[in-house]
Amino acid sequence: MAKDWDPFAIDFAAIRTLRLVSELGSFSKAAEALGTNQSTISYTMDRLRAAFRDKLFVRQRGGIAATPRCIEIVECASRLLEGFEGLMQPTDFDPASASGRVTIACNYYERSIILPRTIAEIRRRAPRLLLEIKTARAKGIAYLKRGEADLLLGPYDVHEDSLYHRHLLDDHYMCVMHRSHLLAGRRLRVDDYVKAGHAVVTYGGTWRSGYLRGLDERGLSLNQVVTVPSISDLTHILPSTDLISTVPSRIASNIAKSVVATSCPFPEPFQIGMTWTSRTHHSAAHRWLRQLMARIAGALPYKAVLATPSGRNRGSADART
């Protein structure tokens, strides 16, 4: 192990590097993310090993793994880093003259429902503010913690004390199909719903939507004909097939002009919220943006589902849309 280092000589840049190496599980990936070389990362890790008197990382098949002590250090140091980043934020904010960049991680739903009006309002009130939108999928929380996103939008169930969360809107699932479909215009019974041919949105991963979990609880499964990674794919599939699909009600009317929506036997209500860290919590600019987005989301029209045929009407904050 390298010579002893005074722990109080460790700077925030080293802490940031340690956090990134821990999250990525790789010196080379951390170097690439920081725009530096692997030898610089190794030197920083040697300093930290000496300061904390711990190996920090051990080699394992396919990469490296953090030691228990390293995990503890990263957790504590991350709070310090985010607090320091928060102190660097301006205390006042004038939308008309403000400039800068805000990175928002979200998915197709939020880009379709919340962001269009948000962007229009920002263009009107803060025309010099730059928004960078990136796809979240299952990486949204990691993006926040690494500072690669300032705000996360979506149906994420947040339980970490280090994260802030605010509810934006409610939604539930409906069925969509071509207007010439035999089931169009009918209230779907469970048997009709299960037996119909389905185009199922997987959202590009192994996550299961709330309505699919509802089916699981009943011991039922859909007649899946095709799976697609995004709701946007349905605009090309549903108008030319006899398939139906289950999507959030707020987005059902956006699928295609030739598609009609009807109630779903498993509507499974869920919530959409926004999540952020202490790094931007006290920022006047970010606070203004969060309030703007909450106001816009709260004003969107919505007809809530009253009850489910199976007697359930629970929310599902961890549903992904």
Side-chain angles (χ1 to χ4, degrees):
M1 191 172 289
K3 66 178 182 179
D4 289 346
W5 281 82
D6 178 6
F8 291 98
I10 299 300
D11 54 30
F12 283 109
I15 293 175
R16 181 184 62 173
T17 301
L18 176 65
R19 181 176 64 178
L20 193 59
V21 171
S22 177
E23 291 174 347
L24 297 179
S26 167
F27 283 21
S28 60
K29 290 180 180 179
E32 181 179 357
L34 294 173
T36 186
N37 54 57
Q38 190 168 335
S39 61
T40 299
I41 302 296
S42 297
Y43 173 73
T44 301
M45 292 303 103
D46 284 342
R47 290 174 53 205
L48 293 171
R49 289 187 182 104
F52 292 110
R53 300 181 182 277
D54 188 84
K55 292 181 178 180
L56 299 181
F57 298 99
V58 294
R59 293 194 177 278
Q60 65 175 14
R61 186 175 182 181
I64 57 174
T67 65
R69 174 63 173 153
C70 180
I71 294 173
E72 179 185 1
I73 293 169
V74 168
E75 182 178 349
C76 181
S78 292
R79 293 195 294 268
L80 294 175
L81 183 58
E82 290 175 357
F84 180 72
E85 290 172 332
L87 291 175
M88 298 171 62
Q89 300 291 336
T91 57
D92 56 353
F93 177 70
D94 176 21
S97 61
S99 61
R101 177 193 301 262
V102 177
T103 301
I104 300 175
C106 59
N107 295 302
Y108 179 83
Y109 180 100
E110 297 79 29
R111 292 197 297 269
S112 301
I113 302 301
I114 300 174
L115 288 188
R117 297 191 187 190
T118 300
I119 294 172
E121 188 68 9
I122 288 175
R123 289 297 303 150
R124 186 177 70 84
R125 301 183 58 186
R128 298 175 59 191
L129 191 65
L130 173 62
L131 287 187
E132 178 184 358
I133 312 301
K134 62 191 308 178
T135 300
R137 291 199 175 93
K139 300 179 181 179
I141 297 297
Y143 287 153
L144 283 180
K145 292 182 176 181
R146 294 202 298 262
E148 296 177 23
D150 302 307
L151 191 62
L152 171 64
L153 306 180
Y156 299 94
D157 197 10
V158 179
H159 297 294
E160 298 185 37
D161 293 337
S162 61
L163 298 175
Y164 297 87
H165 186 78
R166 180 171 179 174
H167 170 265
L168 288 178
L169 54 81
D170 299 301
D171 207 342
H172 64 277
Y173 291 96
M174 293 188 72
C175 296
V176 288
M177 65 198 79
H178 191 270
R179 62 168 57 96
S180 64
H181 197 287
L182 294 176
L183 297 176
R186 295 171 50 184
R187 184 177 182 84
L188 295 182
R189 298 177 302 177
V190 173
D191 287 346
D192 293 332
Y193 178 67
V194 170
K195 292 177 181 178
H198 286 259
V200 176
V201 182
T202 63
Y203 304 99
T206 58
W207 180 89
R208 290 177 67 76
S209 298
Y211 73 92
L212 291 176
R213 295 196 298 273
L215 284 160
D216 292 341
E217 293 175 7
R218 291 276 296 273
L220 299 173
S221 60
L222 294 180
N223 174 23
Q224 296 189 25
V225 176
V226 62
T227 62
V228 295
S230 172
I231 295 175
S232 62
D233 297 313
L234 300 177
T235 62
H236 309 290
I237 294 173
L238 295 183
S240 57
T241 68
D242 63 345
L243 302 178
I244 72 173
S245 191
T246 307
V247 300
S249 71
R250 292 179 182 268
I251 213 166
S253 60
N254 296 353
I255 301 298
K257 292 181 179 179
S258 60
V259 170
V260 296
T262 188
S263 60
C264 178
F266 297 87
E268 299 300 320
F270 60 88
Q271 298 179 332
I272 298 292
M274 56 181 169
T275 306
W276 63 96
T277 70
S278 58
R279 179 173 59 86
T280 58
H281 182 63
H282 298 289
S283 164
H286 288 270
R287 185 166 58 248
W288 176 84
L289 177 61
R290 292 193 299 265
Q291 292 172 348
L292 172 68
M293 197 167 293
R295 185 169 65 252
I296 289 173
L300 294 172
Y302 175 57
K303 184 177 181 181
V305 63
L306 297 178
T308 69
S310 57
R312 298 184 310 274
N313 187 23
R314 69 175 188 272
S316 180
D318 63 342
R320 183 191 172 102
T321 54

